[in-house]
Amino acid sequence: MNLTVILIVVAYLLVMLYIGYYSSKKISTNEDFMVAGRRLGPILMAGTLAATEIGGGSSLGVVEKAYGDWGLSAAWYVLTMGITFTFLTIWGPKFRSALVKTVPEYFRRRYGRAPGFITAIVMLLPLIGLTAGQIIASSVVLSVMTGFSYKLSVLIVSFVVTAYSVMGGLWSVTITDVVQMALIVIGMILAVPFSLHYAGGWSNVVATVPAEKFSFTGGMSIKTIISLIVMYIASFTVGQEAVSRYYAAKDDRAARLGSIYAGILNFIYAFIPAVLGLITLSIVKQGLINADVIMKNGARYALPTLAINTMPPVIVGLLFAGIISATMSSADSDLLGAGSIFANDIWRVYIRKDASDKEVMKVTQITMIIVAVFSTYIALTNKGSLINLLMFSFTLRAGGAFLPYLLGHYWRKASWAGTMASLILGSIAVVLVEKKVISFFKLDPIFLGLLVSAITFFGLSYIFPNKRNSTELCEENYEQIEHTPTPSM
């Protein structure tokens, strides 16, 4: 690997560490650490929202799919995220106004301790798995792109992500996310003219790539597009790694504009990796690069292989830093989410009810380190089955929690009984479809989960309505008595 490329990537990693150190100087309270002191403006909001959701799948994965079966329609993988942010533009200010730090805290103060505890467990477990998954993805990318061994890459990525996240909390994560988002976009944009020139121009691409590859819906089906939209809306709405950004907005305007800008970023970015995938296919079709060279490290790494063979070292270095950024920007958010939920919703509620603000922040940091160590171990041993199990838990959180969380902000009758039923039965429905115990019109598991959730949530909330008849949250009280359901008369 060219020394210039390695130096650029190393410089990028060092900058991330410096940002963590710089951000630590701005942290004095637990609120600073978990929600950046609720001072994020629209630009920081947009950068951190977009970077958190644009990961390896949205960069390398889209290039792979565009090069393969999906063609230009692979752009929908990212476009559907932009559509999701359009919905969150409406809901985001409402989430921000709750002034909570975590999603489980909202459930606890809105519905009671039992829903809060269940939500904490359902939200925490997937974040551990997702952190491990992102470390694996980042490490494979770093290894392939620099020639470092996989194990060394795992240790480097784990150390850097953990260090800057633990030092500066959400403030550090936000600043690094903005830098990482800029690198992703700049690196991918710079790759287009160089690869296009190597292919002989856009006319050559059109002439050598099958016409059906340029269809906007020919590769990815309408069913898949709809499934992605539903999954993203449900998952982004309740995911701590995403919703924490709305909690951190300095006001409703920042929350709303941040969503709008993040959506625009997604709409623009979506076509860049898709076009790069088509250019790569054209280069292979023209015989300029042998398909075996592109596939050397697997189709997922078609873009890095193309870059090494067609671009100047400086551009390759910027592109590689950008691609590594894509996965690291997701790992830091997952790590912070796991630490925040354990400290705020388990430690402070069930273990040390009189814990000080400083203690909760320290527990958050310690938890992040423990999760990072565990995730690093998974990454080093590469226990695929465990990763799959934890990633599956990530899907579960949307099935039962989406409706109680979203509608709890608007519907006064939303109750303890409806929420408990939704959390439990919605999740069971997802499991039954995922494990193929039942088939639901061959749709993704999330659809039956949301249907069961809707029936139980609305039905039991009407029968056993919220006695307070209000959407307002209870004052935080860790001795709070659970809401006992009373039948509607």
Side-chain angles (χ1 to χ4, degrees), residues 199-222:
W202 184 249
S203 59
N204 265 9
V205 173
V206 174
T208 54
V209 172
E212 61 269 18
K213 296 291 185 181
F214 293 93
S215 170
F216 203 42
T217 56
M220 184 183 288
S221 67
I222 297 296

Side-chain angles (χ1 to χ4, degrees), residues 128-129 132-133 136 150 154 371-384 386-387 390:
I128 297 173
I136 290 172
Y150 173 72
V154 168
V371 170
V373 169
F374 182 60
S375 298
T376 301
Y377 172 76
I378 295 174
L380 288 171
T381 55
N382 203 17
K383 299 291 186 179
L386 180 57
I387 287 292
L390 292 173

Side-chain angles (χ1 to χ4, degrees), residues 45 60 83 85 105 113 240-241 249 254 308 312 337 361 395 402 408:
M45 277 281 297
L60 294 176
I83 294 171
F85 283 124
E105 179 186 339
R113 285 167 64 94
Q240 178 66 26
E241 75 284 353
I308 291 171
M361 185 173 77
T395 305
F402 170 66

Side-chain angles (χ1 to χ4, degrees), residues 126 129-130 132-133 136 378 382-396 434-435:
L130 284 170
I136 290 172
I378 295 174
N382 203 17
K383 299 291 186 179
S385 58
L386 180 57
I387 287 292
N388 290 339
L389 175 63
L390 292 173
M391 292 287 279
F392 172 60
S393 298
F394 175 70
T395 305
L396 290 184
E434 177 69 25
K435 298 303 180 183

